[in-house]
Amino acid sequence: MDDNSEKTIDQVYERLKKHAELTGYYLNPDDKFTKYLIRSLLINQKRYGYWACPCRLASGNRKEDADIICPCVYREPDVEEFGACYCALYVSKEIKDGKKQAEPIPERRPPKRKRTVK
Ligand code: SF4
């Protein structure tokens, strides 16, 4: 089976949507955009073996990229402060309901030289 088939993307979409809502997050209501990001996550899964963030440059080293494996460690503060994660895959209820517009989100991940790998 093609991992990136529409059916697989729809299944992952439903699973993420359900899980997000159980944990206080929402998927971006723009389904086309959200499914595009999901497709990118599945491509990264194939490429690196893990869900590297589709909006950042992954190193290919799981330990180095641990902070940007989706959902990344920056999701919580970004959704809290800006209403969306860096990629805008996950959004707040206000944005999901169209009560607030998503705004550009500055990169919260420190530059490589300032990162500590555990
Ligand atoms: S920014 Fe969003 S899509 Fe990217 S890893 Fe974080 S939670 Fe996932």
Side-chain angles (χ1 to χ4, degrees):
M1 187 176 79
D2 174 9
D3 298 87
N4 292 349
S5 68
E6 291 306 316
K7 190 177 167 206
T8 303
I9 289 166
D10 286 347
Q11 285 171 344
V12 174
Y13 173 88
E14 289 305 328
R15 180 162 54 84
L16 287 187
K17 187 171 190 277
K18 205 169 164 187
H19 187 263
E21 290 181 9
L22 284 172
T23 53
Y25 293 96
Y26 298 89
L27 291 184
N28 192 312
D30 181 343
D31 285 357
K32 204 173 159 195
F33 174 73
T34 297
K35 288 182 182 178
Y36 167 78
L37 288 176
I38 290 172
R39 183 183 298 277
S40 302
L41 283 166
L42 295 176
I43 290 170
N44 282 349
Q45 170 65 41
K46 245 187 183 166
R47 186 178 290 156
Y48 304 117
Y50 50 90
W51 276 25
C53 179
C55 309
R56 294 175 165 115
L57 190 61
S59 70
N61 177 318
R62 180 187 277 268
K63 272 191 173 176
E64 269 182 40
D65 292 341
D67 60 329
I68 57 160
I69 294 177
C70 193
C72 64
V73 300
Y74 310 106
R75 177 181 71 165
E76 186 179 339
D78 280 344
V79 172
E80 188 148 338
E81 189 173 347
F82 302 106
C85 70
Y86 186 61
C87 294
L89 173 62
Y90 291 99
V91 299
S92 65
K93 189 169 188 319
E94 290 74 29
I95 290 182
K96 182 203 71 122
D97 292 342
K99 291 183 181 154
K100 198 181 152 197
Q101 287 285 314
E103 50 184 294
I105 297 149
E107 173 60 291
R108 193 181 288 271
R109 189 185 202 206
K112 194 173 180 190
R113 65 190 149 76
K114 290 195 175 166
R115 269 182 244 144
T116 46
V117 178
K118 287 178 194 156

